[in-house]
Amino acid sequence: MTEDNSPENLRKFLGSDDPAMRRMGLSMAKGSGVPEEMLGLVAGLYMWNDDKTVRAAAKSVFMKLAPEDAKQAMKKTWEA
């Protein structure tokens, strides 16, 4: 596997139908960061993904990388 952490590659992982690929993309994002425009995709995985391990990983990434105001808004408005 390649170590290409480009936004295009990351988007492919996060948008995959395979939960294992999504988790891999989230792991990549947590380790190397995620472009701000992709935080919405991570938030969507956190809120609506069918796989609870993907949701947990996305929550971890979002809470680590999102700006404080976005984290506070998420905590205030979203309950699993």
Side-chain angles (χ1 to χ4, degrees), residues 27-42:
S27 178
M28 289 168 47
K30 192 171 188 178
S32 64
V34 62
E36 189 173 323
E37 67 270 9
M38 291 180 65
L39 278 175
L41 179 56
V42 173

Side-chain angles (χ1 to χ4, degrees), residues 47-80:
M47 294 185 292
W48 297 297
N49 194 270
D50 292 336
D51 186 308
K52 68 181 180 178
T53 59
V54 170
R55 286 193 312 271
K59 178 181 180 181
S60 177
V61 170
F62 184 83
M63 292 304 177
K64 178 182 178 187
L65 301 175
E68 192 59 36
D69 60 336
K71 289 188 245 184
Q72 292 305 317
M74 181 69 78
K75 288 178 183 177
K76 184 177 179 180
T77 60
W78 182 254
E79 287 186 39

